[in-house]
């Protein structure tokens, strides 16, 4: 077995929620994934990040992985590296999920069973909240596109989705123009955002112009402001690949752990 095959099988195993607890409990697998973060092959790095992202579905898993030696440092190194943008965005997302205190909850967590909480909180009192209606927000794939688009906008602090009603609530720095958000969503080519406003007790959709000129767009983007305290509890199931039977699941996990144990020294 080589690094590519091992990390690919780990990713496939992690895509099944039934396997995630076993992977997190196996210290060899976690340590191996951390080492894969610094692999010279970007495909290996990306697959390792995708594996850890699957494991972040549970706050208990996040607590374990956050304290795994080298995990946070390696993610920080990827965020500051010259690798491809989507790999850095994935590392950023995982870093925020692992940094989020597991004991915090927001009203949306209590009231909406299908609501994705993505590092959102009220810790920053200077932030403003913008509610967007996202046309085309119909499935997990498009939600992922929307997440990546919003993560690219400097000044976005946090956001949370309400998939059944195609809503996205975004917390941003006070000087960030709402048009920057709608422009970022429009760049997905399959989604369109409108601001939701409350007028005389009724909700109305406000169409906003999208900034096409990149230089003008950059002017409205303040520096990125990280959130210090933020809960995360992903209440939606991650995209899963076809699950394997218990026998093959166990054998692949054992094989991967054996390979990692023989290849690396911790």
């Amino acid at each position: 077995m080589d690094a590519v095959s091992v990390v690919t099988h780990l990713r496939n195993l992690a895509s099944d929620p039934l396997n995630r607890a076993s992977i997190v409990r196996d210290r060899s697998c976690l340590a191996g994934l951390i080492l894969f973060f610094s692999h010279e092959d970007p495909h290996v790095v990306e697959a390792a990040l995708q594996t850890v992202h699957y494991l972040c579905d549970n706050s208990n898993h996040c607590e374990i992985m956050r304290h795994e030696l080298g995990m946070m440092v390696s993610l920080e190194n990827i965020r500051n590296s010259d690798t491809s943008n989507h790999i850095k965005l994935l590392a950023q997302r995982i870093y925020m999920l692992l940094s989020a205190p597991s004991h915090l909850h927001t009203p949306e967590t209590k009231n909406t069973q299908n609501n994705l909480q993505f590092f959102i909180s009220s810790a920053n009192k200077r932030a403003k909240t913008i509610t967007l209606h996202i046309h085309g927000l119909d499935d997990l794939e498009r939600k992922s596109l929307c997440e990546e688009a919003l993560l690219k906008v400097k000044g976005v602090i946090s956001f949370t989705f309400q998939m059944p009603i195609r809503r996205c609530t975004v917390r941003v720095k006070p000087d960030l123009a709402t048009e920057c958000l709608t422009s970022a969503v429009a760049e997905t080519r399959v989604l369109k955002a409108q601001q939701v406003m409350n007028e005389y007790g009724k909700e109305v959709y406000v169409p906003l112009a999208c900034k096409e000129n990149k230089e003008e767009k950059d002017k409205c983007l303040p520096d990125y402001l990280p959130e210090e305290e933020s809960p995360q509890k992903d209440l939606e199931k991650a995209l899963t690949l076809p699950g394997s039977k218990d026998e093959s699941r166990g054998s692949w996990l054992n094989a991967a752990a054996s390979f990692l144990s023989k290849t690396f020294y911790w």
Side-chain angles (χ1 to χ4, degrees):
M1 299 179 73
D2 57 13
V4 175
S5 61
V6 170
V7 75
T8 300
H9 285 304
L10 278 176
R11 181 186 61 191
N12 293 342
L13 288 172
S15 69
D16 185 346
L18 296 177
N19 297 329
R20 294 169 188 170
S22 299
I23 296 174
V24 172
R25 286 196 301 265
D26 193 308
R27 304 300 293 273
S28 295
C29 286
L30 286 184
L33 287 169
I34 292 171
L35 287 179
F36 285 146
F37 287 166
S38 58
H39 199 278
E40 60 183 8
D41 186 347
H43 297 293
V44 172
V45 177
E46 183 177 8
L49 288 170
Q50 291 169 343
T51 302
V52 174
H53 190 245
Y54 278 129
L55 302 179
C56 288
D57 75 318
N58 186 301
S59 59
N60 293 327
H61 296 172
C62 291
E63 185 71 17
I64 294 172
M65 291 189 293
R66 177 166 63 246
H67 293 99
E68 185 68 23
L69 181 64
M71 175 67 75
M72 304 304 285
V73 173
S74 297
L75 290 171
E76 183 69 28
N77 290 338
I78 295 174
R79 294 197 305 171
N80 296 327
S81 68
D82 58 355
T83 187
S84 60
N85 194 44
H86 73 278
I87 290 180
K88 289 196 287 187
L89 286 172
L90 183 55
Q92 166 76 7
R93 188 182 305 173
I94 295 170
Y95 189 92
M96 298 301 294
L97 289 172
L98 295 185
S99 300
S102 59
H103 64 282
L104 297 178
H105 299 279
T106 63
E108 291 88 347
T109 306
K110 298 177 182 178
N111 299 330
T112 308
Q113 291 300 315
N114 293 321
N115 186 24
L116 169 61
Q117 294 297 326
F118 191 78
F119 58 91
I120 188 167
S121 78
S122 57
N124 193 319
K125 303 303 182 183
R126 296 181 294 114
K128 66 178 180 180
T129 301
I130 298 172
T131 301
L132 299 175
H133 182 81
I134 312 293
H135 298 276
L137 190 65
D138 300 323
D139 52 41
L140 291 175
E141 183 178 356
R142 293 195 173 188
K143 182 181 68 176
S144 180
L145 287 175
C146 190
E147 288 178 2
E148 292 182 5
L150 293 175
L151 281 170
K152 295 177 183 178
V153 180
K154 295 180 180 179
V156 169
I157 301 170
S158 60
F159 51 82
T160 182
F161 288 92
Q162 292 175 279
M163 292 293 289
I165 58 176
R166 299 182 177 87
R167 291 286 175 84
C168 181
T169 302
V170 190
R171 286 173 58 80
V172 301
K173 290 189 66 177
D175 52 349
L176 178 67
T178 306
E179 288 83 357
C180 292
L181 301 178
T182 56
S183 296
V185 172
E187 287 179 359
T188 64
R189 305 295 184 184
V190 294
L191 301 174
K192 178 183 177 182
Q194 290 180 294
Q195 186 175 9
V196 181
M197 303 288 287
N198 190 310
E199 293 186 1
Y200 306 106
K202 294 184 178 180
E203 288 187 348
V204 297
Y205 295 162
V206 180
L208 298 170
C210 295
K211 296 181 179 293
E212 299 295 338
N213 187 295
K214 187 178 186 302
E215 292 184 0
E216 291 183 7
K217 181 179 176 181
D218 288 342
K219 290 180 181 179
C220 70
L221 303 181
D223 293 336
Y224 178 80
L225 180 64
E227 191 70 272
E228 294 179 358
E229 295 183 7
S230 52
Q232 76 81 29
K233 185 174 180 61
D234 191 345
L235 300 177
E236 290 183 307
K237 292 184 178 180
L239 281 170
T240 58
L241 298 175
S244 55
K245 294 183 179 179
D246 290 341
E247 295 180 0
S248 59
R249 179 168 65 238
S251 62
W252 272 121
L253 185 57
N254 292 335
S258 176
F259 170 83
L260 293 169
S261 297
K262 292 178 181 178
T263 306
F264 306 109
Y265 297 89
W266 356 93

